[in-house]
Amino acid sequence: MVEMTVRPQSSLADRPVQVQVRGLSPSQLVTLRASLKDEQGECFQARAFFRADGVGEVDPGRHAALGGSYSGVWPMGLFWFLQPDTLFRRLVKRDVAGSPFIVHLEVFDGLCLVTGPQDQPLASCQAERWYVGPGMQRVPIREGRVRGALFLPP
């Protein structure tokens, strides 16, 4: 049985996570895909192709991606290379304190350039990416022409 995990499942957006897939056949070709919808409903995706190692595992932190959105060993590649489905959109988090980005991670058999609703993943999981840690205080800044926010730790 194929299992996909992300550790930690909930973390700050600037913290690394570890993505692992277990239970594949040795040398099996798979596609790992990360996707999220921003606050306006725009979809962002990244995908990478991997060959499972001799024990049937894929770890983007140890194994090189063979292609897709990136190639080579990038532990956070599925997060860093997220691209919009619609051209000229940017991934921006407006409500930084109220909710996280939910990143959906999936593994598909073979090389999948495009996935549709009929394509079922072998396994999937989710990661929460928060922009403000627990207990942070947000102080609005308005001084002359300067506008911003100061985030103070607890």
Side-chain angles (χ1 to χ4, degrees), residues 2 22-30 51-58:
V2 178
R22 292 187 173 101
L24 300 167
S25 301
S27 301
Q28 181 178 352
L29 278 172
V30 293
R51 184 175 298 282
D53 63 13
V55 294
E57 294 182 0
V58 169

Side-chain angles (χ1 to χ4, degrees), residues 45-102:
Q45 298 186 63
R47 69 184 69 238
F49 312 129
F50 290 91
R51 184 175 298 282
D53 63 13
V55 294
E57 294 182 0
V58 169
D59 180 348
R62 294 185 299 123
H63 303 116
L66 306 174
S69 301
Y70 66 96
S71 60
V73 178
W74 291 82
M76 294 293 294
L78 291 170
F79 296 85
W80 290 342
F81 291 96
L82 288 165
Q83 294 293 316
D85 285 354
T86 305
L87 291 176
F88 308 114
R89 298 286 188 173
R90 287 184 355 163
L91 184 58
V92 176
K93 183 74 170 135
R94 302 238 185 261
D95 179 17
V96 295
S99 64
F101 272 142
I102 305 294

Side-chain angles (χ1 to χ4, degrees), residues 124-153:
S124 64
C125 62
Q126 291 184 354
E128 291 182 355
R129 304 294 281 171
W130 290 89
Y131 282 76
V132 175
M136 294 291 282
Q137 179 184 359
R138 183 180 190 273
V139 179
I141 304 294
R142 292 184 178 271
E143 186 67 36
R145 294 183 354 180
V146 175
R147 301 287 184 267
L150 174 65
F151 290 90
L152 297 171

